[in-house]
Amino acid sequence: MSEPPSDFTASEREMWRAFRAGEVHDLRTGVPELDNPGTSRIWGPERTVRASAVARLLLDGPPADSGRVCCLKLSGARISGQLNLSGGTVAPYIELHNCQFEQQVLMPECSFTTLRMVRCAIPRIEAARLSTEGDLHLPQCTVPGGIRLTDAHIGTDLLLNQLVVSADRHGRAIAADGLSVAQDVEAELVKATGEVSLRSARIGGRLSLRGSALRNTTGRYALNAARITIEHTLYLSSGWVSGTLSGTGTPPGGVRTRHFTCDGGVRLDDGRFGNALVVDRARFQLTTSQELSLRRIQTPELRFTPERPPTGRIVLAGAKIGNLVTEAACWPGAGLIDLSGFAYESLRPTGPFPLPARLAWLSAATPEYSPEPYEQLATALRADGMDEDAREVLLAKQRRRRETLPLAARLWGYAQDITVAYGYRPGRAAWWMAVLWAIGSVVFALNPPPELKQGEGPNWNPALYALDLLLPVIDLGQDSAWRPSGWEQWAATLLVLLGWILATTVAAGASRLLRRS
């Protein structure tokens, strides 16, 4: 059929001819206010095409003119009625600009080559199990009733930049569980009110949410992407916009930078990120019942440098990271961090993160004592060649552990801490030995005890006598040759006890170090 059907309107007949010629059917007035599909203004019949006419072109359209390729290119059109392409196969390329849809668009289980809708106003998009060979583009569109892309398959890229979308009756702005995208998902500068659900989605390239604003004040999550797999990088960072241009990275002069903002919980549990997870200059506004949940994620690098600490809880339990890039000012206070089972290979500060701040970070993460975060930090510091800092972390771990022990064990812990710092400062043992030896030598030099058996003992040497009292097990022949009495006997007994305590704490510290190595 080369001529349009007789029931087609004038606008539809022109659309028919443009379709066959592969040309744009442009119904715009040239006045920006009148061409904005998001206004409440209803466009007249001269700019209106019926959804049934559009579906007829796409599903059973005429052949192309000689030397042309059929495609639907509409600009500034009002599409009346409901566009229903459910289960169909659409071969022509589709590109719609500044179009105003009267009702929701139905495309479940529909197959396309490439579908591009730019700056369109659409009440709702229903596209579960949709598939495309090429791109799916929805940039700068307004979709107040939400988008459903559950189990959809996109052959190349999914572009959602500057999309404005609100929640459906289930509270979801974008429902895309099981979504599969062969290459990148660009969702920058998006404004979403309601949950963005990407559970079990698979993305072959990167997922960029730079500069986007996610808000869900009535549900638990603003972003729910549990079990997501991203072959490259997930970006929750800032973007920029200037007029009709937008971008990422370093903005040109005179443009506005937009932070990634999230008013609601974030769930990335069991996510896999092939290159990195980047949380940079982001803002998270969480309630007491909401979390930034990164349980059991795996990625070579986690860059966690939000503009300010999230107001809620951060959970990294069971996560496995290569490089952790962060700084002290990025984390919330005590009781709002969960690092149980969190493993990372190295810690790369982007700003001031001295050892005391790192220890305070661990203390905030463990309101109830847990050894794992301390041991993990010590392992990372050793890997970076910072053995002294690693020993300080392990010493802090023992001091935290001491707080949980019974009184007698705490007293023994204090003794180990004072003498040899639980074995992590072994030089203290020699210092204590030297001090006690010097004190004992002076005391017994001024007050020598009598011989046990007159004329049978060795020559009197107060230094050797004090040393013999201090050293357990080893016998220098002095201790048994003299008989102190009175307060001198108490002094000798005290040296013996202190010698045993010192030796025992040294042995306990040494065994602890041997177990760690």
Side-chain angles (χ1 to χ4, degrees), residues 29-43:
T29 65
V31 180
E33 294 79 8
L34 299 179
D35 292 333
N36 181 3
T39 63
S40 58
R41 189 191 312 272
I42 298 177
W43 296 342

Side-chain angles (χ1 to χ4, degrees), residues 235-311:
Y235 293 97
L236 305 179
S237 53
S238 60
W240 55 266
V241 61
S242 175
T244 59
L245 299 176
S246 64
T248 57
T250 303
V255 304
R256 303 190 311 275
T257 298
R258 289 185 183 174
H259 297 280
F260 172 82
T261 60
C262 186
D263 190 351
V266 176
R267 184 187 182 207
L268 299 175
D269 300 350
D270 299 294
R272 302 292 182 266
F273 310 96
N275 186 61
L277 167 56
V278 177
V279 181
D280 183 44
R281 291 183 290 175
R283 300 172 181 173
F284 296 92
Q285 187 69 31
L286 310 176
T287 66
T288 54
S289 63
Q290 294 173 333
E291 298 177 336
L292 172 53
S293 180
L294 307 177
R295 291 176 174 87
R296 300 177 298 279
I297 67 167
Q298 294 184 22
T299 179
E301 180 171 301
L302 169 60
R303 178 177 292 271
F304 189 76
T305 52
E307 184 187 41
R308 53 178 178 258
T311 56

Side-chain angles (χ1 to χ4, degrees), residues 2-352:
S2 58
E3 293 299 320
S6 58
D7 62 338
F8 270 29
T9 66
S11 294
E12 292 167 355
R13 286 195 294 271
E14 289 301 319
M15 177 179 67
W16 176 283
R17 296 187 183 97
F19 176 84
R20 295 190 62 202
E23 297 175 348
V24 178
H25 183 39
D26 194 347
L27 297 173
R28 291 176 294 185
T29 65
V31 180
E33 294 79 8
L34 299 179
D35 292 333
N36 181 3
T39 63
S40 58
R41 189 191 312 272
I42 298 177
W43 296 342
E46 73 283 357
R47 300 182 63 178
T48 300
V49 295
R50 291 170 297 165
S52 58
V54 173
R56 184 169 180 176
L57 277 179
L58 296 177
L59 299 175
D60 189 23
D65 290 341
S66 178
R68 300 299 183 98
V69 176
C70 288
C71 61
L72 178 62
K73 295 182 178 180
L74 271 178
S75 295
R78 175 176 177 264
I79 300 175
S80 63
Q82 186 175 83
L83 180 59
N84 189 344
L85 302 174
S86 303
T89 298
V90 178
Y93 169 87
I94 303 174
E95 185 165 340
L96 309 178
H97 285 258
N98 298 89
C99 289
Q100 185 184 79
F101 287 79
E102 185 180 67
Q103 299 182 31
Q104 66 175 333
V105 176
L106 300 179
M107 301 184 290
E109 301 188 34
C110 187
S111 299
F112 294 89
T113 50
T114 292
L115 173 60
R116 293 176 178 166
M117 295 191 283
V118 182
R119 290 186 298 279
C120 294
I122 311 167
R124 174 171 169 78
I125 298 175
E126 180 67 47
R129 297 175 297 283
L130 170 144
S131 64
T132 70
E133 295 178 11
D135 297 345
L136 172 60
H137 288 191
L138 298 169
Q140 302 180 53
C141 287
T142 302
V143 190
I147 299 172
R148 187 181 181 201
L149 286 168
T150 306
D151 296 318
H153 173 75
I154 309 303
T156 50
D157 296 325
L158 174 60
L159 183 65
L160 305 174
N161 291 346
Q162 295 180 272
L163 171 72
V164 179
V165 59
S166 299
D168 60 14
R169 58 191 177 91
H170 300 294
R172 292 183 175 178
I174 300 176
D177 298 340
L179 172 70
S180 173
V181 180
Q183 296 181 17
D184 296 333
V185 176
E186 299 287 340
E188 299 176 356
L189 304 167
V190 168
K191 293 182 179 179
T193 303
E195 181 179 314
V196 175
S197 184
L198 293 165
R199 293 177 296 179
S200 301
R202 300 185 63 87
I203 298 170
R206 67 180 184 177
L207 169 57
S208 178
L209 288 163
R210 292 181 174 106
S212 291
L214 311 183
R215 180 179 175 85
N216 186 11
T217 57
T218 59
R220 187 173 181 184
Y221 301 111
L223 175 60
N224 187 359
R227 301 178 301 279
I228 193 171
T229 299
I230 299 174
E231 295 297 331
H232 198 264
T233 303
L234 170 58
Y235 293 97
L236 305 179
S237 53
S238 60
W240 55 266
V241 61
S242 175
T244 59
L245 299 176
S246 64
T248 57
T250 303
V255 304
R256 303 190 311 275
T257 298
R258 289 185 183 174
H259 297 280
F260 172 82
T261 60
C262 186
D263 190 351
V266 176
R267 184 187 182 207
L268 299 175
D269 300 350
D270 299 294
R272 302 292 182 266
F273 310 96
N275 186 61
L277 167 56
V278 177
V279 181
D280 183 44
R281 291 183 290 175
R283 300 172 181 173
F284 296 92
Q285 187 69 31
L286 310 176
T287 66
T288 54
S289 63
Q290 294 173 333
E291 298 177 336
L292 172 53
S293 180
L294 307 177
R295 291 176 174 87
R296 300 177 298 279
I297 67 167
Q298 294 184 22
T299 179
E301 180 171 301
L302 169 60
R303 178 177 292 271
F304 189 76
T305 52
E307 184 187 41
R308 53 178 178 258
T311 56
R313 195 162 178 254
I314 301 176
V315 183
L316 278 159
K320 297 186 184 301
I321 307 297
N323 296 327
L324 175 60
V325 183
T326 188
E327 58 186 86
C330 298
W331 298 85
L336 296 176
I337 310 171
D338 183 357
L339 301 180
S340 56
F342 176 39
Y344 52 95
E345 295 176 6
S346 62
L347 180 59
R348 299 281 184 261
T350 57

